[in-house]
Amino acid sequence: MPTIQIFILYNRLDGAVIFEWMNQYQTESAVFFAIQRSKENFSPAIRANETKQMHELYYKLVKEQEGATALLQRKRELREQAVKQWNSEYNQHFEGVEITPVTHQKYVQTYLLSESYIQFFIRKNLSNVE
């Protein structure tokens, strides 16, 4: 401890030394209590440092993350499909017909490509897969 050596070397005890000791105590106790709180959130086996359960927990978390990533990727693909389907239906509707701004506007108002349309398409296709 450097603070004790300073006290011994200079034969003094002033506010700077006391505050340094208090600061050191506060830092050490904060680290200790942070470790204790983090251990409370884990199962008793993990707190006892049983590596088998730690690995099982890790693999479980990795699998959950992989599942979430796969679901997110599937939703992105379905979003793209929804837009393509809407464009295809739009093109089929106007096949052989001249598209005027008025007819385009009527179609877009009737068959709106909105976020709710895309979300409905995603939910419908995800429920078909499951």
Side-chain angles (χ1 to χ4, degrees):
M1 291 182 147
T3 53
I4 293 176
Q5 292 173 352
I6 291 172
F7 176 69
I8 293 171
L9 289 175
Y10 296 110
N11 199 16
R12 66 181 174 89
L13 184 64
D14 61 2
V17 173
I18 294 172
F19 283 124
E20 187 176 342
W21 288 344
M22 291 172 59
N23 191 20
Q24 184 178 359
Y25 170 77
Q26 184 179 13
T27 304
E28 290 174 0
S29 65
V31 169
F32 173 78
F33 286 117
I35 291 170
Q36 293 303 316
R37 278 192 300 268
S38 69
K39 286 182 177 180
E40 290 171 1
N41 295 329
F42 294 111
S43 68
I46 293 173
R47 280 186 254 151
N49 202 17
E50 290 184 15
T51 56
K52 182 180 177 184
Q53 279 201 342
M54 289 175 67
H55 287 294
E56 289 173 359
L57 176 64
Y58 173 74
Y59 288 124
K60 178 183 169 191
L61 293 173
V62 167
K63 289 205 180 283
E64 287 175 1
Q65 183 63 32
E66 287 174 353
T69 303
L71 180 63
L72 185 61
Q73 180 62 30
R74 178 71 178 135
K75 285 183 177 182
R76 286 184 189 135
E77 293 169 359
L78 289 172
R79 176 178 288 278
E80 292 173 8
Q81 285 180 4
V83 172
K84 286 180 184 177
Q85 180 177 330
W86 187 90
N87 285 328
S88 172
E89 291 170 359
Y90 177 87
N91 291 333
Q92 286 176 359
H93 181 76
F94 288 109
E95 189 174 325
V97 178
E98 183 180 339
I99 302 173
T100 64
V102 173
T103 57
H104 168 76
Q105 191 65 28
K106 283 183 181 178
Y107 184 86
V108 169
Q109 286 175 349
T110 307
Y111 305 105
L112 182 64
L113 177 62
S114 65
E115 187 62 28
S116 60
Y117 171 85
I118 293 172
Q119 290 300 321
F120 174 76
F121 183 87
I122 290 172
R123 282 193 305 272
K124 181 177 87 171
N125 287 296
L126 279 179
S127 64
N128 291 341
V129 172
E130 295 170 353

